[in-house]
Amino acid sequence: MHSKIKGNIGQFYVAAKLAQMGFCVFTEEGDLSKVDIIAEKDGKLLRFQVKAATPKNGTLSLYLLKSAHGYKFRYDKSWLDYFALVDLSSGEVYFIESKVLDNRLTQFSIRLEETKNKQEAGTNRACNFKAEVVFKDYLD
């Protein structure tokens, strides 16, 4: 499947999730902005960059660098408030604050399954990035 199609699918999942939580959702026309979705609730605006991926080895990865023919850049936290990471195999949406960019990582992974050795330290458990956890202050 072409990456643009994956991105469009991801954007629909994120918009639906935010709408279910009572946000008004605004999307970009075209593909020129660093922001894919803006959501508003109670006068507060939040900016989202949407990524869609398929899990590998029990993890879902968010790549923090973007490159294509003729350009390459690193996302900047001043451009957005959250990354929305969509699991294309389940349709689940995870929200990761843009402050993850402070760590200068090129990739941020969340663990969908337990590690084989049951390691917890240093793992980013997917359950901590679900909308109900991240946006608990926004829910009625």
Side-chain angles (χ1 to χ4, degrees), residues 9 13 23 28 39 42 54 56 67-68 95 100-101 107 111 121 130:
I9 292 168
Y13 274 110
F23 284 90
E28 173 198 23
D42 300 327
T54 303
K56 291 182 184 162
S67 62
F95 295 94
V100 71
L101 293 164
Q107 173 182 324
R111 180 145 287 285
K130 288 191 172 193

Side-chain angles (χ1 to χ4, degrees), residues 1 6 9-10 13 52-56 58-60 85-94 112-113:
M1 181 183 317
K6 289 179 185 179
I9 292 168
Y13 274 110
T54 303
K56 291 182 184 162
T59 64
L60 201 58
L85 181 58
V86 178
D87 178 343
L88 289 170
S89 68
S90 70
E92 188 68 55
V93 181
Y94 302 96
L112 303 171
E113 303 169 358

Side-chain angles (χ1 to χ4, degrees), residues 94-95 111 120 123-131 133-134:
Y94 302 96
F95 295 94
R111 180 145 287 285
E120 288 291 323
T123 60
N124 298 304
R125 298 194 58 194
C127 61
N128 295 325
F129 298 95
K130 288 191 172 193
V133 174
V134 174

